[in-house]
Amino acid sequence: MRRSIGTSTGREGHDAPSLHRGLKSRHLSMIAIGGAIGTGLFVASGASISSAGPAGALLAYVIVGVMVYFVMTGLGEMATFMPVAGSFERYASRFVDPALGFALGWNYWYTWAVTVPAELAAGTIVVKYWFPNSSPILWSAIFLAILFLLNVISVKGYGEGEFWFAGVKVATILVFLVVGVLMIFGAFTGQFVGFRTFNTGGSPFHGGPLATFSTFLVAGFAFQGTELVGLAAGESDDPKRNVPRAIRQVFWRILIFYVLAIFVIGMLIPYTDPNLLKSDVNNVAVSPFTLILQRAGFAIAASVMNAVILTAVLSAGNSAVYASTRMLFALAKEGKAPRIFAALTKRGVPFNSLLLTRVIGFVAFLASLFGNGVVYTWMLNAASLTGFLAWLGIAVSHWRFRRAYVAQGRRLEDLVYRAKWYPFGPVFACILCAVVIVGQDYSAFTGGHIKWAGVVATYVGIPLFFVLWLGYKAVYKTRLIPLQECDFDTVE
C-alpha cells in the first residue's frame, strides 16, 4: 500500500532515533532570511553601487531576485510533497539521475564546510574592532564552540539561534530604511535630497552593460542561502503549511530588503564616493549603512554596525554548520557516504556528521592562518560556484519532477503547493544560472591575453563537479531515470 510523502511524521521506526520535526514556521522564515542577508548586503552593496551605479545595481539584484523566486517556488513544490533530509540532493537522485544527486550533495557539503572557517576568520576581524590585540585563534575557538552547541543540542537549538541572529539583522535593516527614507525628504540634515544624488553624472547607470553584469554575479552570491529552507523542510513540524508560507513571505521580504536598501544608499551616497569601494569587513566604518547612520547623527553607528555584522557572521556560520551536517547525513542515508555519518542521537542530531564537518572546518581555518592562506584560498575557489550549481540542480529537478508527476497520471490539483509559471520558471532559472557559472571571470578573457591563473582559480569547481558526477556514473552505471520510473512514494 502506498504511503503519502506529504504526511510523513519524520519517524523511520519505533526504536531507531530519527530527525525530529522541531522547526516551526517562524524558524523556517528566519532560516531563509538569515541565509541570504549578511555581509553581502551590509558591506558589499557599496561596491556594487560604485561599480554599476544605483540603477545598475538595482537592475542586477531584481533580475537575480526573479531567478531565485523561480528556484525557491520549485523547491517549495517538491519540499511540501516530499519533506526529506537532504532536500534537493534527494530530488536530483529521484527525478534526474543518482549521479547528479551525488555530485550536488558532496559539492554542497564541501561548500558549507569551508564556509565555516571563512565566517570564523571574518568574525575575528570584526572582534578586533573592540579588542585589537586579542588572539584570532581564541575568538575562532569561542565562535566555533557556540555554533557547535547550538547545533548539537537539537534542531530547535539551531532554529532558535537562527531566529534571533536573523531577527537582529532584520531589525537593523528596518531602522536603516526608516532613517534613510526620512533623510531623503530632509529629516536629520534639513536638506531635501530628491534624485540629485541618484542621478550623479547625469545617469543612474554607470560602467555600461558589463558593469551591470559584474554586479549581477555579486548579487547571485548575496542571495545564496535561501535554499536552506528546503533542507530544513525535513525537520519542520508541519511542512505542508510552513514551507509554502516561508517561501512566500521570505522571498519577498529579502527582495524588498535588498532593493529598498540599495535604493536608499543610491539616493544618499553618490556612486563616485570613494568610501563605497573600501566597504569590507576590515573597514566597517565605511560600510554604506554606517555612513548613512553617521550622517543622520548617530555617532555610535560604527560600533552598532560592527555588532550587527558580527551577528550576521555568526548567523552565516550557524547556517553553514546546519547545512553541511544535514547534507552529509542525507548522503550517508542513501549510501553515498559512510553509514557512520547517518547515526543520530536520541535528540535526532546527526552527531558524527556534525563532528566531522566541524573538524574539517577548524583544519581549514588553521590553513587560512599559515602560508599566506594560499591553500585555503584554493579551497574557497573550488567552492565558489557550488551555490549556483545547487540552484541549477534544483531547477532541473523541479522541471523533471513536474513532468514525471503528470506522466504518471497524478493530478496537479493534489499538490499542496504548486509553483507558478511552469515550465518557464525552471527553464529561465537554468539559463541564468548557466550564464552566471560561465561568466564568472569573463574579464580574464577581455584584456588582450588570457589570465590563466585567474581562470583556473575561478572555474576549478566546475571540473571537480563533473569528476564527481561522471565518476559516480561510471562506477554505478546510473542513467537518466525515465519519467514513469521516478519514485514519488518512498518516504525515506
Side-chain angles (χ1 to χ4, degrees):
M1 181 177 179
R2 290 185 174 181
R3 291 180 291 170
S4 171
I5 295 290
T7 59
S8 170
T9 64
R11 298 288 181 181
E12 300 169 32
H14 295 292
D15 300 319
S18 63
L19 293 177
H20 291 184
R21 294 196 179 276
L23 297 177
K24 301 184 182 301
S25 178
R26 65 185 179 90
H27 295 138
L28 288 186
S29 295
M30 286 302 189
I31 285 168
I33 288 176
I37 295 179
T39 54
L41 175 61
F42 292 123
V43 179
S45 55
S48 297
I49 294 173
S50 178
S51 174
L58 280 174
L59 179 61
Y61 276 85
V62 168
I63 293 175
V64 174
V66 172
M67 177 187 73
V68 175
Y69 170 76
F70 289 128
V71 171
M72 288 291 290
T73 53
L75 179 59
E77 181 174 296
M78 294 184 290
T80 49
F81 182 84
M82 187 180 296
V84 294
S87 186
F88 48 86
E89 180 274 326
R90 295 283 188 96
Y91 306 147
S93 295
R94 292 193 184 191
F95 307 123
V96 186
D97 181 350
L100 178 62
F102 177 82
L104 285 173
W106 276 108
N107 268 267
Y108 199 73
W109 170 81
Y110 173 78
T111 295
W112 284 107
V114 299
T115 294
V116 174
E119 300 302 336
L120 293 178
T124 60
I125 293 172
V126 172
V127 170
K128 280 185 176 294
Y129 181 87
W130 297 296
F131 307 102
N133 298 319
S134 59
S135 167
I137 295 181
L138 171 65
W139 283 111
S140 65
I142 292 173
F143 295 149
L144 193 64
I146 292 172
L147 299 180
F148 182 83
L149 290 174
L150 284 174
N151 283 268
V152 78
I153 297 172
S154 69
V155 69
K156 191 173 182 180
Y158 158 70
E160 285 295 332
E162 197 56 32
F163 178 82
W164 292 106
F165 285 149
V168 170
K169 293 187 284 188
V170 170
T172 302
I173 295 170
L174 292 176
V175 170
F176 170 79
L177 292 176
V178 171
V179 171
V181 170
L182 290 175
M183 287 181 68
I184 292 172
F185 288 96
F188 302 106
T189 62
Q191 295 181 345
F192 176 74
V193 176
F195 283 87
R196 290 195 309 272
T197 302
F198 195 82
N199 288 312
T200 297
S203 172
F205 290 92
H206 172 63
L210 286 181
T212 300
F213 181 72
S214 297
T215 306
F216 182 86
L217 304 179
V218 175
F221 283 106
F223 277 101
Q224 287 182 16
T226 51
E227 73 284 344
L228 283 169
V229 71
L231 281 178
E235 294 173 270
S236 168
D237 63 350
D238 188 357
K240 284 187 176 182
R241 181 174 62 91
N242 293 345
V243 173
R245 177 183 297 178
I247 287 176
R248 282 193 296 264
Q249 294 177 351
V250 170
F251 169 76
W252 292 111
R253 289 174 185 173
I254 291 174
L255 183 60
I256 289 172
F257 285 159
Y258 270 96
V259 170
L260 286 183
I262 291 174
F263 176 76
V264 168
I265 295 168
M267 291 288 282
L268 296 174
I269 304 177
Y271 70 82
T272 54
D273 191 322
N275 285 320
L276 293 179
L277 280 175
K278 298 176 184 176
S279 297
D280 58 42
V281 292
N282 293 285
N283 200 345
V284 181
V286 292
S287 160
F289 279 63
T290 304
L291 290 173
I292 289 175
L293 292 175
Q294 285 179 334
R295 292 177 185 181
F298 295 95
I300 61 170
S303 291
V304 172
M305 283 309 304
N306 211 58
V308 171
I309 290 173
L310 179 59
T311 301
V313 166
L314 292 175
S315 172
N318 194 36
S319 295
V321 172
Y322 176 81
S324 54
T325 299
R326 292 317 188 269
M327 186 57 76
L328 182 56
F329 166 78
L331 288 166
K333 288 280 291 183
E334 287 200 320
K336 295 174 181 176
R339 293 289 298 180
I340 189 175
F341 298 115
L344 292 167
T345 66
K346 291 182 179 180
R347 293 180 175 268
V349 175
F351 181 80
N352 293 336
S353 294
L354 175 62
L355 188 61
L356 175 69
T357 304
R358 296 296 54 78
V359 169
I360 290 177
F362 194 70
V363 169
F365 173 76
L366 293 178
S368 71
L369 299 179
F370 298 100
N372 296 321
V374 174
V375 173
Y376 183 59
T377 298
W378 276 91
M379 292 172 67
L380 283 179
N381 287 335
S384 63
L385 292 177
T386 305
F388 294 102
L389 290 171
W391 286 352
L392 182 61
I394 292 170
V396 171
S397 298
H398 177 229
W399 182 66
R400 290 273 302 174
F401 169 88
R402 181 74 75 85
R403 291 186 64 205
Y405 191 88
V406 173
Q408 294 185 19
R410 298 170 183 265
R411 290 165 21 98
L412 293 178
E413 292 77 11
D414 294 334
L415 290 172
V416 176
Y417 175 77
R418 195 188 329 172
K420 299 178 181 178
W421 294 79
Y422 181 91
F424 173 79
V427 172
F428 177 79
C430 284
I431 292 173
L432 258 66
C433 281
V435 169
V436 170
I437 291 170
V438 173
Q440 282 295 302
D441 195 22
Y442 70 90
S443 60
F445 301 91
T446 59
H449 64 279
I450 300 176
K451 305 176 183 67
W452 287 110
V455 170
V456 173
T458 301
Y459 293 103
V460 66
I462 296 178
L464 290 177
F465 178 84
F466 278 101
V467 166
L468 290 170
W469 185 8
L470 299 178
Y472 192 91
K473 284 185 72 70
V475 172
Y476 293 98
K477 311 299 181 185
T478 64
R479 61 193 175 99
L480 181 68
I481 302 173
L483 297 179
Q484 294 290 348
E485 297 180 15
C486 290
D487 182 8
F488 288 95
D489 299 307
T490 304
V491 175
E492 282 289 346

